[in-house]
Amino acid sequence: MACARALRISLIAMFWIAVSAVWTGANAQNVPKAEVKTEQVQATLLAHAPQGVPIGLQPGAATGQPVWVGLQFTHAPHWHTYWKNAGDSGMPTELQWTLPPGVMAGDIAWPLPKKIPIGQLANYGYDDTVLLPVPLIITPEYKPGVLDEAMDVRLKATWLVCRKECIPQEGEFALKLPLRSSTALNAAAFDAALKQQPAPLGGTQQVALTDGGQRLAVRVSGLPASARGQTLELFAETPNVLLTGATQAAPGEAAGPRTWTQRWDGDVWTADVPVSPERSESPEKMPLVLVAGQQGWRADAVVQGAWPAVAQAAVVSPALEAALKANAQNSTGGTAGDANAAAPPGTATPVPTGTFLFALLGAVLGGLVLNLMPCVFPVLAIKVLGFAQHANDQRAHRISGVAYSVGVVLSFLALGALVLALRAAGQHLGWGFQLQSPAVVAALAALFTVIGLNLAGVFEFGRMLPSSVTSMEARHPVANSLLSGVLAVAVASPCTAPFMGASLGLAMALPAWQALAVFAALGLGMALPYLLASWLPGVARLLPRPGAWMDTLRKFLAFPMFGTVVWLLWVLGQQSGVDGAGALLALLVVLALLLWSLGLTGRTRVALTGLSLAFGAFMLWSFGPMVTRAEAAPAAAASTVGARWQRWSPADVQQTLAEGRPVFVDFTAAWCVTCQYNKKTTLANEAVLRALDDARVQTFRADWTRRDPQITAELQKLGRAGVPVYVLQAPGKAPIVLSEVISAGDVQDALARLAPG
């Protein structure tokens, strides 16, 4: 009984660490700060208010010098971000401000861009260091509190950073702008950025359509004398009109289909520029930016002539549209998939009663099968020990089963509510999201280390805690069983069992009460075997009487715990690198030393405990940041993740389908044990690989180990909320979504369904 009591106490002691870590992990990557740093760029939110923030203005009163904020990018060598017109490819940086009432943000004061040639194409953007300034408009309605000393400025920014490959990135930023003091530390950066603004040109500038709308004749007057005679660069603010990749013709050479010319007629600058064959705009006015060296001018030119009809913009092909609508039909009979396809992400869409009941049944079955997933094996070990303890006490056995079941269901409801709330707040999350945080992985590794050491007999809580604490198991057996259910869900949450994926995917698009009902059904399915076993007398009669064998079983069950720690260390290595995994392993060794020393007596306990605490504090201060640091994906892996498996991207998948080749996508994660099992068995099977090669299938791997909004969005399109997900698709056909646990026969059958006829 003392051994079981110690195990229960260890669960109570560590449970709160896991709960706190789950919440912290869900939000750790979203805590706003003044700087976001990746391997490609360092983005910093800066402010400039040399006269402070004007407060208490009367309507119409002058504000003095403006208040400026801005996002500064410092690019790694050869990387660049984009101007407001990105050119042939790319995406302009977008800024979304959150400001107090009465404060408004103006438009970005875009500095002069650079032309970035890419073969026959060209982009417009920035390299080295660039600041994107934004003026803040302080209105009379801004009324800070009497005790407020600063104004909160928050920013959510998205940008695309490119070299040869492109990486979409985002960041959340925050700073406090002092209300009653000057903020001029970044004056030089803002002065330099504002000097890079194009000067406005007055007068009437003209752009005339020529050659049947295939070319533009540009005439700009009013340029300063210092610019006359110079060769100018031309940038159109309106995207998708000019042929961005056109080069300047040699002196005396006539303009060609992909070249442009310029010359001076006295004080008037003229140019003959080709129009893009993929033109998608027909503007009546064209804002133009002309650049000579470090100077620039902006002209609003009126377009003369009628634009030819614009070619119809490319849309989703009928085959792809049908495929998206049919994504979830393989698992839900079509109705759920249609509901998901019809609703935009994040929209709660009611479904027919039959579909909802089908989802509940799938959730119960998925919860049942979840007990057979490798993630849950350590919890099975704990439950076996608990069953043996109550083998001769039918009442205690039943109370334990009910309390455990309540803990499981409530935990599923709480986790489901957290996922739904964070998704409603705009976060790209799915099932198992907490394991995408290194902090949560580290906390769970510490939890299972403590449980394993206790089971192995390295320490006993009874020797280090007051008797009132060690007797909690006897006084609160219901709470102990309930917490065991909570721990079971914390461990099982990374897994997705068969029948479970479609129900979870549908739940993400349902109204809150229906979604929570699906999560409750999952919990009921997972707890059902233990609930039935606790209420069936025959189960208790099969168990041997409590005795000395329980101590041997207890120590044996320590090894599944240590195996789970090894797995969590490997997961952390995928997120924080080998240094992060090594740092966590060192901290776990110190934790084991501390727990062992607390179980000693006399002066030895005092000395070793003090030494352990001091050494542990030093290790945590020195190596703790290495554990929680999310390591960026290696640049070498940008295009491929293996000789056979290409790194997944929506563009590459669509390009492969356009070439007439089928695709197979493995949505996976390092923390998903089911994913790793399938990867080492079915997806490494020679017969499967040969069948894929015979069908000319291109294989892709979408790694969700770290949070990836693109993968989350793709899973949502497929009607799924977690991994593993396996998708096989041929050009012009609906994708086939396979089961979460796949066999070689499943893949071969799916390939046969793609065959013509």
Side-chain angles (χ1 to χ4, degrees), residues 644-645 661-662 664 681-699 728 744 747-749 751-752:
R644 170 181 293 275
W645 295 88
R661 296 186 59 188
F664 180 88
T681 55
T682 301
L683 298 184
N685 184 284
E686 291 186 5
V688 170
L689 297 178
R690 193 182 312 112
L692 290 170
D693 290 340
D694 292 343
R696 298 182 60 251
V697 175
Q698 176 61 63
T699 53
L728 181 64
V747 179
Q748 292 168 337
D749 290 344
L751 288 171

Side-chain angles (χ1 to χ4, degrees), residues 458-460 463-464 593-601 605 609:
V458 173
F459 75 98
E460 300 290 347
R463 296 183 180 180
M464 61 178 70
L593 174 62
L594 175 62
L595 292 173
W596 173 74
S597 62
L598 285 172
L600 301 176
T601 57
R605 171 179 176 171
T609 300

Side-chain angles (χ1 to χ4, degrees), residues 64-91:
Q65 292 191 19
V67 176
W68 288 92
V69 290
L71 189 62
Q72 184 181 70
F73 289 109
T74 301
H75 301 83
H78 311 299
W79 290 88
H80 60 269
T81 52
Y82 293 92
W83 187 49
K84 62 193 306 182
N85 174 9
D88 285 316
S89 62
M91 181 179 67

Side-chain angles (χ1 to χ4, degrees), residues 215-237:
R215 303 190 71 84
L216 291 178
V218 182
R219 291 180 59 86
V220 179
S221 60
L223 291 164
S226 60
R228 293 172 190 169
Q230 294 194 48
T231 300
L232 306 183
E233 283 282 358
L234 173 64
F235 301 92
E237 290 188 359

